[in-house]
Amino acid sequence: LQFFPVYSDSLTAFYSGQVDGICIAASDAVAPVNEGVDFKVVLVNDNSYGADGIVVQDGIYSIEDLKGKTVATEVGTLEHMFLLKILENNMTVDAVNFVNMTINAAGPAFIAGSIDAAVLWEPTLSTAIGAGGKLLYSTKEEPGLIPDTLAVRQEVLDSSSDAVQKIVDSWFDGVEKLNARDDDFIQAISDGAELTRDDYMTMLDGVTIFDMAKNEETFIVGDDYTFLSYTLQKSAEVLLATKMIDEIP
């Protein structure tokens, strides 16, 4: 396993073939298809349900109030797409003063008061709220919009499908331990992620973890955010409308 403190670095590593698989937000799996990266999504890990959101300073009470304000998140990531989704019915991203920052940098910048708003994920989101920020909008209002998935390069699937299946099976084993609130298991996860147990449990509250049954359901073709194919299509439409991709793959 290889861990990346900065999420976008893991995307670069996967796209360039430096790693064989990646835990990736579904929206981030759209653009590389157009760039010729050959891979498949083999597992849905979770859906965000409050783990991603936009936090704002005092004086901002609505999406409309973001006009002219300094808003930060990282270009090309799921949080960027979430920001575009938040704004789409009210204004274009050009109506705000957008600042490209990694999530690791945007959280402290918000707390320091140097930006008006930031789109963040956990545990940075809760840290910003705890420091006085106000949650304006989160994925609780858009359930199913942001699934986290496991993607694997096609060449690895072709040569080592059994090994990939063992990884998928190990996820389902882990979900069972997580649902049982196995103390040793949860502590091992927290330690591996360099999080306190409390921070990890806060993150867990903001997601819906997918077991085997939920995976079997989400891979069926359907017409709402319950289904991965629908979510990917809608994500691609948002990315196309905002010119983050040139065509829908």
Side-chain angles (χ1 to χ4, degrees):
L1 289 177
Q2 188 170 350
F3 294 95
F4 292 83
V6 177
Y7 173 64
S8 56
D9 290 345
S10 70
L11 300 179
T12 300
F14 182 66
Y15 301 162
S16 62
Q18 297 174 50
V19 295
D20 298 319
I22 184 175
C23 289
I24 184 173
S27 58
D28 294 331
V30 175
V33 176
N34 287 345
E35 302 300 321
V37 182
D38 192 8
F39 67 94
K40 283 189 172 64
V41 171
V42 299
L43 175 72
V44 173
N45 303 100
D46 60 67
N47 259 333
S48 179
Y49 187 68
D52 304 82
I54 182 166
V55 64
V56 298
Q57 306 284 6
D58 286 341
I60 299 175
Y61 304 102
S62 67
I63 302 300
E64 290 81 1
D65 290 342
L66 292 172
K67 187 173 182 178
K69 302 297 186 183
T70 301
V71 183
T73 200
E74 187 169 1
V75 166
T77 66
L78 65 102
E79 303 298 48
H80 187 198
M81 194 204 76
F82 186 44
L83 173 62
L84 299 175
K85 178 69 175 176
I86 292 168
L87 296 178
E88 69 175 353
N89 293 324
N90 298 279
M91 67 192 82
T92 68
V93 73
D94 294 334
V96 304
N97 178 23
F98 178 75
V99 179
N100 180 22
M101 286 186 182
T102 66
I103 305 302
N104 291 351
F110 176 83
I111 292 170
S114 56
I115 54 178
D116 299 309
V119 185
L120 306 170
W121 52 53
E122 292 289 8
T124 311
L125 180 61
S126 287
T127 300
I129 293 169
K134 181 176 67 176
L135 182 64
L136 183 65
Y137 197 86
S138 81
T139 46
K140 280 190 176 180
E141 283 72 49
E142 298 282 354
L145 178 67
I146 302 179
D148 291 316
T149 71
L150 174 63
V152 179
R153 298 183 71 86
Q154 187 62 50
E155 62 198 65
V156 176
L157 287 169
D158 291 339
S159 64
S160 307
S161 60
D162 289 347
V164 174
Q165 185 61 56
K166 288 178 181 178
I167 294 171
V168 171
D169 291 341
S170 72
W171 169 263
F172 296 138
D173 291 342
V175 171
E176 291 184 5
K177 289 181 179 292
L178 192 59
N179 289 340
R181 291 300 187 262
D182 184 301
D183 287 336
D184 291 340
F185 182 74
I186 290 174
Q187 191 60 55
I189 294 174
S190 303
D191 292 344
E194 298 181 351
L195 295 171
T196 67
R197 182 189 174 93
D198 287 346
D199 280 346
Y200 176 70
M201 297 307 292
T202 296
M203 291 177 63
L204 199 60
D205 286 341
V207 297
T208 300
I209 299 293
F210 273 46
D211 57 12
M212 184 182 293
K214 281 187 171 63
N215 266 274
E216 289 173 344
E217 179 182 11
T218 197
F219 276 96
I220 297 171
V221 175
D223 59 359
D224 63 42
Y225 284 113
T226 304
F227 305 100
L228 182 62
S229 60
Y230 179 89
T231 303
L232 288 168
Q233 176 66 28
K234 291 301 179 182
S235 295
E237 290 173 6
V238 171
L239 294 171
L240 180 65
T242 54
K243 301 180 180 180
M244 291 181 66
I245 59 174
D246 295 328
E247 62 180 0
I248 294 178

